[in-house]
């Protein structure tokens, strides 16, 4: 059980503190079925309860909040023995509306998964740059085009920070949702550094390099190395 | 036992040497109860003696010194099996006054723990930028507001380096402490590079990615992947 | 078996989507003998089928495409017990012509292996910089000079991206091949970040540092450390 | 045994090739006693033969060459159980004079070990910046001051690269040695990226973070965490 009694007093100003209210800093445990019986079954059925580690970077502001965490790719082994990426990794952003003082609406959160190239856009942004991404989460189904999501990152007029905003238009439910979170230069620096760190991992490249510690990297010279060569062709 | 006889001659000038006096370069062993019987009991009781690794980056100057080292987050396992951050990581800065030639006042050291976002401020600073952070270490207790700490990083007038200064006002003890350490551009580059390296670790993201080598990252295609999907909702 | 039925609809515009058509995002499985019986034997004979991990970063455009992935160095152990680099690592680029809507010509792909220093050129490019590399894949044989490859990276006139182009002149076959792929700023940011991550790995430096977790890094003070010292000489 | 027959033809021009002559790219095996009986005994006695990994980054030019590789710190365990840095890590540079076409004078090589802060200088250098470091390798002995080494890094007049130069004045032997190696922007980018990667490792911070995978990082909430707290004091 989480110690909910550890709720801390309000934190204000532009210099974030080490300790933030616990109920805010651990959003994902709800996802992992610790809090809500309603979501408990839903997520348990999907396997969320099994040994996942939750350490999102969260930005909580007056009207809305978002958290950011890496989703690793999954791999599959072919009959040949080769291992290939099955599902690509991403940087998952989860947005929530504020519904009171330091309370956020978990029931109606919105997701946006940044691809490797979209992460490339984010980490290469200068202080005056902006970017916008468009997703159709129903792209594969008969509902294609019915739900449109767009994430925009726009610099403050004062140029010391950005607005990170998500718009979700759902023609099936006839709803339109808009969430906007101002982020400081420092918070954006954390996002860029953390995304730069995570990028090779969501691409699966840590798997390709970590195997260097295994059998592939150190091989005797007797057997020919099984590597691509430019001059093999 | 530490070889105290390895004390080296004085080092001056702006180009730091590989070998610094041993008593300076290993401040933290004192913390870990190697030197002082007084602190020995205090720290042993807190578990400091157990297999911790000490490798701070230290900047020793004429009037004061500080060291910098990462403090990793701790995790806790929920009943659901999910692992969440229990206590957040930080970059710990420890300041000491000089009390003689190459001697620093270990008994009265001051701590300041940079949060992830404060580290984001530090690593995004340009040569003309400055920043300041405010902490209340008694925030959770009845003494809230009685102790106020502020850390400021300000560029030299010559713009080749910074002053890193800590002010601690303690109304309970009626004391005010001020420590200021000039850092060169090279020392600040080490701080930025080391903090950029450490940031994902104090955020706990290395745990999220290292599990890619475990059971989650490589899974058969038979069972559905237990990952967040933007289009699940 | 790969689920080819997971082919996704067309993706257009400058903001790449998380999901790309599966047949595009997994080019290398063909290399690893999953698709083609013809190549199957060829690669199996070279050991490609053994537990390699494939996670290239691919850029697919109208006329051509390329993928980028790290090739780790191989090491060999000397009689003395020392382990040295046997074959250097590289960043492998594989280019293919488009031969129809979202179809690329796997049979006639061209390879170009970037050395560590060439990767250094790439990651230090500013938005207006260009670079060009020249390789002779037959350099070691009697056919030296018969095949000339050059890779050029040139900024768009609009300066928001680059053209990555490969020219291969083969005097043996009397052929000349030219493939050019426009990459966006975001795609190039991914390439730079991923190459910066991979560079120490293709240099073999991850092996030198990872051994710090082993027996070399943590040694008792009784035995003299077996490290190079500037003042040993 | 090394395959010396794999010596490759000359390589010229500003764009380095993947394959360089083997005798150049593996300088350190000589250090590890593979080639020379004379040095064999010397190094074997120092433990050089035991499982060290050699993967230096080498820059070979007309008049001189240097190689760069990380030297990890060593640690020692105190009676308290705490592990502290015993000998600091460094980036080792080894310089050699050219003594003929693609031959370098291994017998008279010169070493210069960059400290963490000196690495900080190097990685923060802009294209017009220069820096110089001074070492006294006899600092601890009665010969202090008799040998003076200085390493300077100065930009080319054309500002596309640097001169990396080492001067060694030895009053004991009445010798003065000067070695200068021009490096391209691309080669310097490799040096900066590789040094940035290696810096946390030579500081020993990879040890502090890697333990997060061990017992310290994941602890139950029952026992109080044994971490420094800013508000403990």
């Amino acid at each position: 059980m989480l110690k909910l009694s550890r709720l801390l007093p309000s934190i204000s100003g532009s210099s974030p503190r080490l300790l933030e209210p616990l109920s805010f800093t651990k959003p994902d445990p709800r996802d992992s079925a610790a809090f809500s019986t309603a979501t408990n079954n839903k997520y348990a059925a999907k396997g969320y309860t099994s040994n996942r580690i939750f350490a999102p970077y969260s930005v909580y502001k007056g009207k809305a909040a978002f958290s950011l965490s890496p989703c690793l790719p999954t791999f599959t082994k072919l009959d040949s023995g080769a291992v290939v990426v099955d599902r690509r990794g991403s940087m998952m952003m989860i947005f929530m509306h504020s519904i009171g003082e330091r309370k956020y609406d978990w029931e109606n959160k919105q997701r946006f998964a940044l691809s490797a190239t979209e992460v490339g856009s984010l980490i290469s942004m200068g202080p005056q740059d902006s970017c916008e991404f468009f997703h159709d989460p129903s792209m594969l189904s008969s509902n294609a085009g019915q739900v449109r999501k767009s994430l925009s990152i726009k610099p403050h007029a004062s140029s010391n920070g950005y607005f990170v905003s998500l718009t979700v238009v759902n023609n099936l439910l006839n709803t339109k949702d808009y969430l906007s979170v101002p982020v400081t230069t420092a918070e954006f620096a954390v996002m860029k550094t953390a995304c730069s760190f995570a990028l090779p991992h969501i691409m699966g490249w840590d798997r390709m390099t970590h195997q260097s510690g295994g059998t592939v990297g150190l091989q005797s010279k007797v057997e020919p190395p099984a590597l691509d060569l430019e001059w093999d062709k």
Side-chain angles (χ1 to χ4, degrees), chain A:
Chain A
M1 280 295 292
L2 279 174
K3 286 188 283 184
L4 286 172
S5 57
R6 276 181 57 194
L7 279 166
L8 312 189
S10 174
I11 286 160
S12 62
S14 62
S15 52
R17 308 305 263 273
L18 175 63
L19 289 182
E20 294 179 23
L22 187 63
S23 65
F24 293 5
T25 61
K26 289 183 178 173
D28 274 353
R30 295 201 182 212
D31 279 4
S32 67
F35 286 82
S36 156
T37 314
T39 56
N40 191 356
N41 296 336
K42 174 182 166 198
Y43 286 110
K46 287 187 183 173
Y48 273 64
T49 53
S50 56
N51 294 323
R52 275 190 71 193
I53 295 178
F54 295 89
Y57 179 65
S58 301
V59 177
Y60 293 93
K61 293 295 162 71
K63 297 197 174 166
F66 69 83
S67 71
L68 180 74
S69 37
C71 283
L72 299 175
T74 58
F75 293 85
T76 197
K77 197 167 191 164
L78 303 182
D79 293 342
S80 66
V83 174
V84 298
V85 173
D86 179 39
R87 188 201 294 266
R88 297 183 165 212
S90 64
M91 293 297 309
M92 178 61 69
M93 300 188 74
I94 300 182
F95 286 79
M96 300 148 286
H97 288 285
S98 166
I99 51 171
E101 200 182 344
R102 272 169 290 132
K103 285 178 63 114
Y104 293 88
D105 185 4
W106 291 100
E107 300 305 315
N108 296 297
K109 59 177 173 281
Q110 298 280 5
R111 288 187 167 91
F112 199 91
L114 298 168
S115 71
T117 303
E118 288 165 343
V119 169
S121 283
L122 188 153
I123 63 180
S124 60
M125 283 178 73
Q128 301 302 330
D129 293 339
S130 61
C131 66
E132 187 158 16
F133 310 123
F134 300 91
H135 285 190
D136 176 357
S138 315
M139 192 165 60
L140 300 177
S141 73
S142 58
N143 287 327
Q146 295 298 315
V147 178
R148 283 170 292 134
K149 297 184 177 185
S150 73
L151 180 82
S152 80
I153 305 179
K154 294 208 170 81
H156 287 176
S158 63
S159 92
N160 55 359
Y162 298 85
F163 286 105
V164 178
S165 310
L166 178 66
T167 305
V168 180
V169 176
N170 189 324
N171 290 335
L172 299 170
L173 304 175
N174 244 338
T175 59
K176 179 171 176 175
D177 203 359
Y178 176 75
L179 306 101
S180 189
V181 180
V183 301
T184 64
T185 303
E187 288 160 346
F188 202 68
V190 174
M191 292 171 65
K192 284 171 89 166
T193 302
C195 283
S196 296
F197 168 81
L199 183 55
H201 298 273
I202 68 174
M203 293 168 71
W205 281 29
D206 59 334
R207 296 293 297 267
M208 293 201 287
T209 52
H210 283 8
Q211 68 178 328
S212 80
T215 53
V216 173
L218 179 55
Q219 50 198 160
S220 84
K221 294 176 63 176
V222 180
E223 48 173 321
L227 294 177
D228 284 310
L229 286 184
E230 181 182 330
W231 27 84
D232 263 5
K233 187 156 174 293

